Every structure is written in structure tokens, then in C-alpha cells.
Amino acid sequence: MHIAIQEFPRIWISNASPSNWKQELEALLDQGKRFVLLTRELPGQDGADNDKEEFSQWLKDHRSRLSIYCAASLVVVSNSLIAFSLNAFVAPLSEKFGFPVRVVHEDDLDAQITAFLAASPEVANS
């Protein structure tokens, strides 16, 4: 998985190479500033299978810090009906990860990012 930080606080995640997710996420947490994780790739799509298990474990290990600095993780889609339908499936991930996980229509992206960054972080009980 590849993380692009050029549009901070918009942090884009993709299955592209090179794999840099671990170093970049740790650097983001060390900055102490809130950010939003974004992707256009739906969970379960083909791609970096070798990273998935390590990524999942890393999320568990860093849950308490992520709940403070990661304002949300948003999957961006081009169809509002798909966004509405998929939210029921991704909502349980919010509790698991310690930050909101949502599917959003691309037309609503700016408003959603602004709202999540403005919201107070909830410190999760680990």
C-alpha cells in the first residue's frame, strides 16, 4: 500500500507501489496534527494482500493514537446510492479502528473532511 501525504491533511491510500504505509503513518502520528485517510479503493478489492495482515495488526497496535489524530477514514465513490448502501457495512469498522469509517460521494468530500477535522477527537478506551 502506498500513502500520499502531499495534500495534508488529506492522506490518500492506494494499493500502488512502492509500499510506504508504515513509515508514513508513523510519521503522521508523530506530527501530532489531525488528518483524514482517503481512498477510492473499496475494502476487499484486489491489491497488496501481503500488506493487509500487517496493516491490520498495525492499526490494532496504534489504535489509541489513531483515535486522536485520524479524524476519519473515507472511501470516496462516484455514486451516491453506493455510498449510502455501503455505509451500513463499513460503520462497524469505526469501533474496531477507533476513528470514523465512512463511504462518501465525491461531491460531498470537501464538506465531510471539513466536518471530521472540526470535530473533537474522541479518546478511545483501548
Side-chain angles (χ1 to χ4, degrees), residues 5-124:
I5 61 168
Q6 295 84 355
E7 296 179 38
F8 186 88
R10 296 170 180 236
I11 308 302
W12 287 93
I13 300 174
S14 71
N15 286 330
S17 294
S19 180
N20 69 345
W21 65 268
K22 189 173 183 180
Q23 307 91 297
E24 292 293 348
L25 285 176
E26 288 176 358
L28 285 168
L29 291 178
D30 290 342
Q31 281 184 22
K33 297 178 183 174
R34 289 178 42 91
F35 57 89
V36 176
L37 296 174
L38 303 167
T39 187
R40 289 191 179 274
E41 298 168 5
L42 295 171
Q45 280 185 326
D46 292 338
D49 288 333
N50 54 337
D51 280 345
K52 286 181 183 177
E53 192 172 315
E54 185 180 357
F55 183 68
S56 180
Q57 185 60 49
W58 189 92
L59 288 174
K60 290 177 190 175
D61 294 344
H62 294 83
R63 185 180 190 278
S64 61
R65 289 181 69 204
L66 279 166
S67 68
I68 296 168
Y69 299 116
C70 182
S73 178
L74 306 177
V75 178
V76 184
V77 296
S78 60
N79 183 307
S80 57
L81 185 57
I82 289 174
F84 177 78
S85 300
L86 290 178
N87 269 312
F89 294 103
V90 299
L93 295 174
S94 299
E95 188 173 328
K96 179 180 179 182
F97 294 151
F99 51 84
V101 178
R102 302 287 188 277
V103 180
V104 299
H105 184 264
E106 56 194 14
D107 290 346
D108 298 330
L109 184 59
D110 290 337
Q112 291 289 324
I113 290 171
T114 300
F116 280 114
L117 288 172
S120 297
E122 294 181 20
V123 179

